[in-house]
Amino acid sequence: MNKNNEEEEKKKKQEKVDQEIDGSDQQQDGTKTKSHGEILKQQIIEGCETYDRSWSSILLSSFTAGLEIGFSFLMLATLHHFASGYFAEEVVFKLMAFVYPLGFILVIMGQSILFTEQTSLLTLPVLSNKRSLGSLFRIWGLVILGNLVGGLLIALTLVWVGPKLAIFTELDIEKIGLHMVEYEVFTILVSAILAGWLMGLLSWLVTSSKETVGEIIVIYLITALMGFTGLHHSIIGNIEIFSAMLVSPEITILEYIQTLVVILAGNAIGAVFFVALLKYRAFVFNVKMP
């Protein structure tokens, strides 16, 4: 009997939460900041819209994102090549943070599906009982597959064309890749969790923005922070490490796969726990039952 009462209470609580979210209408005054409920409502709606897309559309959009984020790697390698003669190596890697956001801006503003930017967004419909956990894992699988395949293709292209155009060398590619894998597994995991956390916040803040310029500034600041601190991002990291593996014997395929899996796991944990779960539960705890 107690179990039935608990289930009934949970059902009533969820219905009340849904009512509060659905009642979170956008402010008429465009100068006012969106409320927590408004952002949450929009994120859930956008997440559900992604679930409702065909698998071929999701796969193609995520494949496109994997290609487009490669332009960040193009700029990283080019800047590394031309700045290395003027600055110390550690300074060059800090300067690279200023061009790191380019691919992210192209992907997010172009509405392509990027795993880390969509991780918390796709989790919210599950937390609000609008989609199942199984459907979440299926859509994650499609997005990751598309992102990685697109990244591998652009990596193959850039590794060939960069030296041909003399904008960077294989040595530049190797140094960037080694910079990603030179840490212990646990260090990479924690770094990836922080990166996933930031990407989840990026998604939340982009939704809260009212203008395109504001969205671009948010994307630039957060991804530049990731680049400056060297946090591990799975999708561009896939390109960096795979490219280095192609030109350097110091990175094995086993090391590439292991590092990529750890980063993917860390990114997912950071976005799901520190953004989706905490933001959603903070709203739920504020809902008062009559």
Side-chain angles (χ1 to χ4, degrees), residues 211-230:
E211 298 178 355
T212 301
V213 173
E215 293 179 9
I216 293 174
I217 291 173
V218 166
I219 297 168
Y220 187 90
L221 290 176
I222 290 184
T223 54
L225 170 60
M226 288 168 48
F228 192 82
T229 54

Side-chain angles (χ1 to χ4, degrees), residues 234-260:
S234 54
I235 309 306
I236 190 171
N238 169 53
I239 299 174
E240 293 171 329
I241 303 170
F242 180 75
S243 297
M245 187 188 73
L246 294 176
V247 301
S248 173
E250 293 192 46
I251 299 180
T252 65
I253 188 168
L254 181 62
E255 190 173 19
Y256 158 67
I257 293 173
Q258 175 183 286
T259 305
L260 182 60

